[in-house]
Amino acid sequence: MHPVRKKRLLIITAILLILSAAIGLVMYALQQNINLFFSPSQIVMGEAPRNTNIRAGGMVVEGSIKRDPVSLAVSFEVTDFQHRVTIEYRGILPDLFREGQGVVAQGRLNDNGIFAATQVLAKHDEKYMPPEVSEALKNAQNSAPTNLKNAVPPF
């Protein structure tokens, strides 16, 4: 092989190796920061991964909020009007967090099926609904039996 061609081939090979390593590192970093949204129905049906950061959301079930009087631990249930998922959170909830309102929680689903949240997001005003929650509620309502389709969600 001609020495000039051999030098070019080595340079191109080095560039490809460096580029492959950079793409691999970026993909690895993105994999750890992606938080996919799952509705309560998807979580109950086992579509949500365990022990991976995900987002879960729905409407807070009336009468499901349980606060620990000693600590900041709170547990509550969210629903998409078909299934319910228990969410546990330790910290200060947003001011707009209430029963019957839409919330999105970020955290991990443990092996017991309980979602351990690290962050809870509440809606901004009375008309706003997080797009993921709104879409999950519409999907759940469309797949519900006909007697539940006529039920009006509280938003």
Side-chain angles (χ1 to χ4, degrees):
M1 184 180 283
H2 195 275
V4 175
R5 284 187 174 181
K6 188 175 183 180
K7 185 177 179 182
R8 285 183 188 161
L9 184 62
L10 286 174
I11 291 172
I12 291 172
T13 303
I15 290 172
L16 287 176
L17 286 175
I18 292 171
L19 204 61
S20 298
I23 290 172
L25 289 174
V26 168
M27 296 301 287
Y28 180 73
L30 288 177
Q31 180 184 10
Q32 293 181 351
N33 292 326
I34 292 175
N35 294 320
L36 299 176
F37 178 83
F38 292 93
S39 68
S41 291
Q42 290 174 313
I43 293 172
V44 169
M45 291 180 195
E47 296 176 14
R50 306 253 176 194
N51 298 319
T52 302
N53 274 336
I54 60 172
R55 287 183 173 203
M59 306 298 287
V60 178
V61 176
E62 301 268 344
S64 68
I65 299 174
K66 296 174 187 154
R67 297 179 190 271
D68 184 12
V70 180
S71 67
L72 294 175
V74 177
S75 73
F76 55 95
E77 293 179 340
V78 294
T79 182
D80 60 357
F81 304 114
Q82 285 192 334
H83 295 96
R84 292 178 176 192
V85 171
T86 301
I87 295 178
E88 292 180 348
Y89 177 67
R90 184 176 300 269
I92 299 173
L93 291 169
D95 291 337
L96 297 174
F97 179 86
R98 283 178 262 146
E99 295 176 344
Q101 300 292 326
V103 296
V104 174
Q106 182 176 336
R108 293 174 182 248
L109 185 65
N110 65 21
D111 292 330
N112 298 329
I114 296 174
F115 190 85
T118 56
Q119 184 179 21
V120 175
L121 305 171
K123 69 178 193 170
H124 295 270
D125 61 24
E126 294 180 12
K127 298 191 185 246
Y128 177 77
M129 177 68 64
E132 299 97 349
V133 173
S134 177
E135 186 175 328
L137 292 176
K138 285 179 187 172
N139 290 339
Q141 198 167 25
N142 288 339
S143 64
T146 54
N147 61 347
L148 293 177
K149 281 186 178 181
N150 296 331
V152 177
F155 56 91

